[in-house]
């Protein structure tokens, strides 16, 4: 688990200034909106946090899946909800990427949502079909440079993490590769296994069984640390791409204007859940890292993450709609 510096003065200020609001909250059940279908790491994370909140707050916390539109449907629902702490969002990397991908969104994340707690950061793993003549990431980059537009890569879809992470890689290495989007990680991974495409940046959970079975070769991981379950696979930075990092994230957000004492209380609960040894170990085994920090820490992470993805999207001229 990565820990941010404590903000004792911040917590004390809101405990004194908003003690009444914190003391009476919550008086009815809460809901966490997940802008994705049931199943997967986002849904599992929301349900883990919901269980912790329910225990700590003494109220039911319902997980509500509102999938669709690159997380836009569920995110809009929360952005327009009353700022009372009873409707929360399981935010994701889409919060960082959607403003640059879409010319118009029905919500403004900067103005209508506020960070509560960053929960999990999820790096990817670069995997190739065994027929690709590369043993590591430098080999893959050199092969791509010598053979422009000969390598194809699959993704979960246009503007997805798996698309943008490769786009960032291609931009930083001055290589040209062909994008083949699919609907979901399962078909994207299977396209590489079958040889329809050559490589993919996948989440570890989906790729690990095939790596272990020898059906996919792991070239590098896209975070700044090696993964505990793939200790021999270098990070892209260790492989020579010192400025390359591509990670997804999950965290709790609330409608802007939610009382700060409520934000502080929810932040403490999420941090407590992520600090649990069994929880942090479970995420490590899935190739992810849990976090423990303040809403301000989350805001700084968001700002940096968004700036990085905006640069990639604009440099690549990537857009999802034509409106």
């Amino acid at each position: 688990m990565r820990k941010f510096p404590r903000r004792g003065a911040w917590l004390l200020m809101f405990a004194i200034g908003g003690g009444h609001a914190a003391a009476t909250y919550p008086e009815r059940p809460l809901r966490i909106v997940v802008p994705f279908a049931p199943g997967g790491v986002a849904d599992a994370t929301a349900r883990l946090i919901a269980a912790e909140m329910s225990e700590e707050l003494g109220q039911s916390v319902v997980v509500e899946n509102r999938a669709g539109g690159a997380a836009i449907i569920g995110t809009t629902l929360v952005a327009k909800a009353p700022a009372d702490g009873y409707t929360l969002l399981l935010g994701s990397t889409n919060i960082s990427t959607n403003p640059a991908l879409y010319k118009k969104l029905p919500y403004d994340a900067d103005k209508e949502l506020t960070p509560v707690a960053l929960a999990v950061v999820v790096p990817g793993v670069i995997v190739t079909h065994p027929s690709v003549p590369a043993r590591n990431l430098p080999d893959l980059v050199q092969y791509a440079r010598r053979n422009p537009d000969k390598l194809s890569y699959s993704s979960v879809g246009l503007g997805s993490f798996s698309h943008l992470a490769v786009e960032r890689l291609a931009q930083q290495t001055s290589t040209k590769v062909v994008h083949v989007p699919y609907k979901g990680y399962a078909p994207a991974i299977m396209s590489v296994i079958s040889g329809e495409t050559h490589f993919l940046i996948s989440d570890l959970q989906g790729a690990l069984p095939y790596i272990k079975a020898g059906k996919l070769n792991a070239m590098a991981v896209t975070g700044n640390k090696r993964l505990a379950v793939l200790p021999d696979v270098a990070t892209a930075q260790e492989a020579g791409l010192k400025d390359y990092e591509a990670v997804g994230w999950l965290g709790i957000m609330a409608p802007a204007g939610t009382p700060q004492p409520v934000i502080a209380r929810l932040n403490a609960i999420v941090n407590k859940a992520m600090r649990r040894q069994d929880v942090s170990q479970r995420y490590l085994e899935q190739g992810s890292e849990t976090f423990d920090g303040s809403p301000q820490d989350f805001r700084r992470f968001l700002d940096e993450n968004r700036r990085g993805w905006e640069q990639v999207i604009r440099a690549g001229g990537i857009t999802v709609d034509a409106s």
Side-chain angles (χ1 to χ4, degrees):
M1 170 180 285
R2 186 181 303 178
K3 293 186 177 182
F4 290 113
R6 291 292 184 184
R7 299 293 191 272
W10 171 80
L11 291 172
L12 180 61
M13 176 179 67
F14 288 120
I16 295 172
H20 178 71
T24 59
Y25 169 86
E27 298 176 309
R28 64 180 190 274
L30 289 73
R31 63 174 173 165
I32 300 176
V33 175
V34 179
F36 305 103
V41 66
D43 187 60
T45 299
R47 294 181 188 280
L48 184 153
I49 291 172
E52 190 76 26
M53 284 185 177
S54 181
E55 182 176 345
E56 291 290 322
L57 297 174
Q59 288 283 356
S60 297
V61 181
V62 177
V63 173
E64 184 176 321
N65 296 91
R66 290 293 188 95
I72 292 173
I73 293 174
T75 302
T76 303
L77 188 155
V78 178
K80 308 301 181 184
D84 54 14
Y86 290 93
T87 299
L88 306 171
L89 175 71
L90 195 282
S92 69
T93 317
N94 297 87
I95 294 289
S96 301
T97 59
N98 279 352
L101 289 170
Y102 291 86
K103 294 181 179 180
K104 187 176 182 180
L105 289 170
Y107 65 86
D108 185 327
D110 287 338
K111 295 180 179 179
E112 296 182 287
L113 293 170
T114 190
V116 174
L118 178 61
V120 183
V121 169
V122 187
V125 56
I126 305 170
V127 293
T128 64
H129 186 272
S131 66
V132 175
R135 292 180 176 273
N136 50 44
L137 183 56
D139 286 350
L140 183 66
V141 169
Q142 287 303 317
Y143 184 80
R145 283 176 177 161
R146 292 194 302 267
N147 300 276
D149 291 325
K150 296 297 184 182
L151 286 179
S152 62
Y153 70 97
S154 62
S155 82
V156 177
L158 183 65
S160 66
F161 170 79
S162 53
H163 170 209
L164 299 179
V166 176
E167 181 67 26
R168 173 174 282 172
L169 179 67
Q171 289 177 14
Q172 292 190 9
T173 58
S174 300
T175 53
K176 294 182 179 181
V177 289
V178 178
H179 180 211
V180 183
Y182 291 81
K183 293 183 178 180
Y185 266 116
I189 291 174
M190 290 310 299
S191 77
V192 180
I193 292 173
S194 67
E196 292 179 16
T197 55
H198 297 100
F199 75 104
L200 163 75
I201 293 185
S202 172
D203 64 339
L204 179 70
Q205 197 169 10
L208 186 60
Y210 302 107
I211 295 171
K212 289 184 174 180
K215 294 182 178 181
L216 293 174
N217 291 338
M219 299 289 103
V221 296
T222 65
N224 60 13
K225 295 180 180 178
R226 293 197 182 198
L227 302 180
V229 292
L230 291 175
D232 296 329
V233 179
T235 68
Q237 294 174 0
E238 289 175 328
L241 302 183
K242 64 178 182 179
D243 296 324
Y244 182 83
E245 183 179 8
V247 296
W249 60 267
L250 298 168
I252 295 295
M253 306 186 77
T258 298
Q260 292 295 341
V262 172
I263 295 292
R265 190 172 183 191
L266 294 173
N267 171 269
I269 293 171
V270 176
N271 285 341
K272 181 180 178 182
M274 295 298 109
R275 279 197 302 268
R276 281 170 39 191
Q277 181 63 34
D278 61 321
V279 171
S280 60
Q281 183 61 35
R282 186 190 318 166
Y283 279 101
L284 281 174
E285 291 171 357
Q286 296 173 357
S288 305
E289 183 180 10
T290 55
F291 272 69
D292 177 3
S294 72
Q296 289 93 335
D297 294 322
F298 190 7
R299 169 60 70 189
R300 283 188 285 271
F301 174 90
L302 269 175
D303 290 344
E304 182 178 352
N305 191 256
R306 179 172 172 175
R307 283 194 299 269
W309 287 124
E310 282 180 344
Q311 290 173 4
V312 171
I313 292 165
R314 289 173 180 166
I318 302 166
T319 184
V320 173
D321 62 6
S323 59

